[in-house]
Amino acid sequence: MMSRFRTTTVALVAAAAGFALSAAPAQAAPGDVTTTCASTATPAGYVDVNWGYSNTCGGQNFAPNIKQIKQLTGLPIGTVVQACGSTYYPAGWVQTSSYYSGSCVSFPNQGFNNNAWTIKRVS
């Protein structure tokens, strides 16, 4: 009986964690960072800022399968953000530089080409 209870509890906790990672951000404040499974599209007004691996999102070979996304909507003009090049930045933002970042590797064997940029809000 206790073993069945533990198994059920672990399954429920794992399901809740998976939902928390894959759910779309709900009313995030400007600048908030949320973690989501890589299979979830980055919403409008957000950029990817970090990639990683988690058992929660499945996958094999420790390939990147989670990403952190940052809410840009509402940030003041002049704000500078470091973002991964795995998603486009929204209108009103411009790229000021590009570079390689180990935290922006979004797939295995990506190489060392520029995969990140500095962006600035201009309007």
Side-chain angles (χ1 to χ4, degrees):
M1 176 75 170
M2 189 60 139
S3 177
R4 184 183 306 176
F5 176 73
R6 256 189 244 142
T7 303
T8 302
T9 302
V10 169
L12 289 173
V13 169
F19 177 75
L21 279 176
S22 61
Q27 300 183 14
D32 277 359
V33 175
T34 303
T35 302
T36 184
C37 292
S39 59
T40 303
T42 301
Y46 286 76
V47 291
D48 301 344
V49 293
N50 193 17
W51 282 80
Y53 175 81
S54 171
N55 287 331
T56 305
C57 291
Q60 300 174 356
N61 303 327
F62 299 102
N65 66 352
I66 61 168
K67 59 186 174 181
Q68 290 183 314
I69 57 175
K70 184 173 191 151
Q71 167 69 281
L72 298 183
T73 303
L75 290 173
I77 292 175
T79 300
V80 175
V81 172
Q82 309 298 319
C84 297
S86 50
T87 188
Y88 291 110
Y89 44 87
W93 292 78
V94 296
Q95 176 184 339
T96 59
S97 67
S98 65
Y99 56 95
Y100 171 80
S101 172
S103 64
C104 287
V105 174
S106 57
F107 59 91
N109 303 319
Q110 184 172 340
F112 295 102
N113 296 321
N114 290 352
N115 63 353
W117 45 45
T118 302
I119 58 174
K120 182 177 182 177
R121 177 135 190 228
V122 295
S123 66

